[in-house]
Amino acid sequence: MLADVREGLSARPRQIPSKYFYDERGSHLFDEITRLPEYYPTRSERALLEISAATIIGNTRPATLVELGAGNSDKTRLLLDEMLRSKARDITYIPVDVSAAFLESSAAQLRAEYPSLRTMAVAADFSAGFTLPPHPAPALHAFLGSTIGNFTPDAAVDLLKGVRARMDSADFFLLGVDLRKDPAVIERAYNDSRGITAAFNRNMLNVINDSLGADFDMLAFEHNAVYNTTEHRIEMRLISSVDQQVHIPEIGLIDFAAGDAILTELSYKYDSGQVAGMLAESGLVLRDWLTDDAGMFALSLALR
């Protein structure tokens, strides 16, 4: 984190990786975001999983589900239910998430709900290299919620290459992507009326304060999220509302003028051709493309 913050705040434009939204509070805030009326991605993906989970599990027949960025595993239960219905025992779930406390809490709840399910939580930064524990084959590797959109195209390909490297020849990969649509609909999803997304955005500063001993004043930064129609992505920033100095031990004083911004998140929106190309560049091939009637969200199923 120290290296990322030092490099990011000395860059122009300033930027900090979006993974630093997530401590336990940040994970709970994101969970709240997914339930907001303006935030369509989770609702759209869940509806799509409800009608396609049986087909996905029937076609892949996994003994293990590996999920990157598992969060509270809410939508994942639709896949787990189908796995348990299709195979009475010896089902393994490996949730991977950067927030260890939130991950363990979610895993404990899953163990209580699914006593026959073997749950092995892995606390890790899934954008970096990590090793999966031994697990039954074949596996379905899932990256839901359109979290892939938080990565630049090159970084997304690097991440997917890491997924491929962890896959066996009989494994499958399920990817959730947010589709291109009316920019106004997209912008509303990142500027909710209750200000939950703004609190989530500012929580990055709280994480840095707690972890690095910094003294960011969260109320001195304003939430900003706009859709870039050229790059087909949401750009989320924290904008300094006043002239101020922030002290970060081991880095020093950082000057912010009123209006200075920190880029905190990108969220790319896709079409089928871009997804197929991204998968191909990663050594994967698109097998199935599933989308809702409104064209809000898509699930892509891929093979090595």
Side-chain angles (χ1 to χ4, degrees):
M1 184 188 291
L2 179 64
D4 285 342
V5 171
R6 178 189 285 119
E7 181 180 353
L9 293 183
S10 62
R12 292 297 181 271
R14 288 169 165 153
Q15 52 196 299
I16 297 175
S18 58
K19 63 187 175 184
Y20 297 124
F21 288 133
Y22 296 99
D23 57 359
E24 189 169 9
R25 179 174 182 268
S27 295
H28 282 295
L29 282 169
F30 184 72
D31 185 35
E32 196 170 349
I33 286 170
T34 65
R35 304 174 196 280
L36 293 169
E38 298 97 332
Y39 194 78
Y40 64 84
T42 302
R43 187 168 56 252
S44 300
E45 185 178 38
R46 182 179 183 85
L48 188 53
L49 280 168
E50 285 174 348
I51 63 174
S52 58
T55 300
I56 292 168
I57 298 305
N59 288 340
T60 60
R61 300 193 176 280
T64 298
L65 176 62
V66 179
E67 184 178 14
L68 303 185
N72 67 2
S73 305
D74 182 42
K75 298 186 301 293
T76 315
R77 285 165 169 80
L78 297 166
L79 296 171
L80 293 173
D81 288 343
E82 289 297 333
M83 289 174 68
L84 289 167
R85 269 194 284 270
S86 65
K87 189 178 169 90
R89 58 188 178 84
D90 299 331
I91 295 297
T92 298
Y93 176 47
I94 306 177
V96 183
D97 205 277
V98 72
S99 176
F102 188 77
L103 176 67
E104 189 49 48
S105 173
S106 298
Q109 186 173 345
L110 276 168
R111 292 184 186 109
E113 289 180 40
Y114 297 91
S116 66
L117 179 69
R118 184 186 184 203
T119 301
M120 299 188 292
V122 175
D125 174 4
F126 59 74
S127 65
F130 70 94
T131 302
L132 290 172
H135 56 273
L140 174 62
H141 300 251
F143 194 23
L144 303 175
S146 195
T147 308
I148 190 70
N150 297 150
F151 295 84
T152 63
D154 287 345
V157 168
D158 287 342
L159 188 149
L160 295 180
K161 285 179 178 178
V163 171
R164 185 192 184 280
R166 288 187 293 271
M167 291 172 65
D168 289 333
S169 59
D171 289 356
F172 285 82
F173 176 52
L174 183 66
L175 178 66
V177 295
D178 194 5
L179 298 177
R180 296 173 186 173
K181 58 186 70 67
D182 182 354
V185 173
I186 298 173
E187 286 195 347
R188 280 197 297 272
Y190 294 83
N191 293 281
D192 65 276
S193 58
R194 290 177 53 197
I196 305 299
T197 310
F200 174 70
N201 196 7
R202 291 190 185 98
N203 192 63
M204 177 179 284
L205 305 181
N206 186 57
V207 171
I208 294 170
N209 285 349
D210 288 347
S211 301
L212 301 183
D215 61 359
F216 277 102
D217 177 0
M218 289 186 289
L219 297 181
F221 286 83
E222 297 176 355
H223 166 72
N224 176 264
V226 296
Y227 187 66
N228 182 325
T229 56
T230 302
E231 299 291 339
H232 302 287
R233 69 189 187 192
I234 278 283
E235 297 172 353
M236 198 155 79
R237 295 177 174 86
L238 289 168
I239 299 178
S240 179
S241 55
V242 295
D243 295 341
Q244 57 180 307
Q245 282 189 324
V246 175
H247 180 250
I248 306 176
E250 298 189 64
I251 295 179
L253 288 173
I254 308 292
D255 290 312
F256 289 90
D260 282 353
I262 305 171
L263 180 67
T264 56
E265 182 177 79
L266 299 174
S267 185
Y268 283 84
K269 312 305 173 186
Y270 300 95
D271 58 25
S272 59
Q274 186 179 8
V275 171
M278 182 168 61
L279 290 169
E281 194 175 347
S282 308
L284 298 162
V285 59
L286 181 63
R287 168 175 161 164
D288 295 320
W289 176 260
L290 308 168
T291 186
D292 57 302
D293 291 339
M296 300 289 280
F297 204 90
L299 294 168
S300 57
L301 189 64
L303 292 160
R304 283 171 61 110

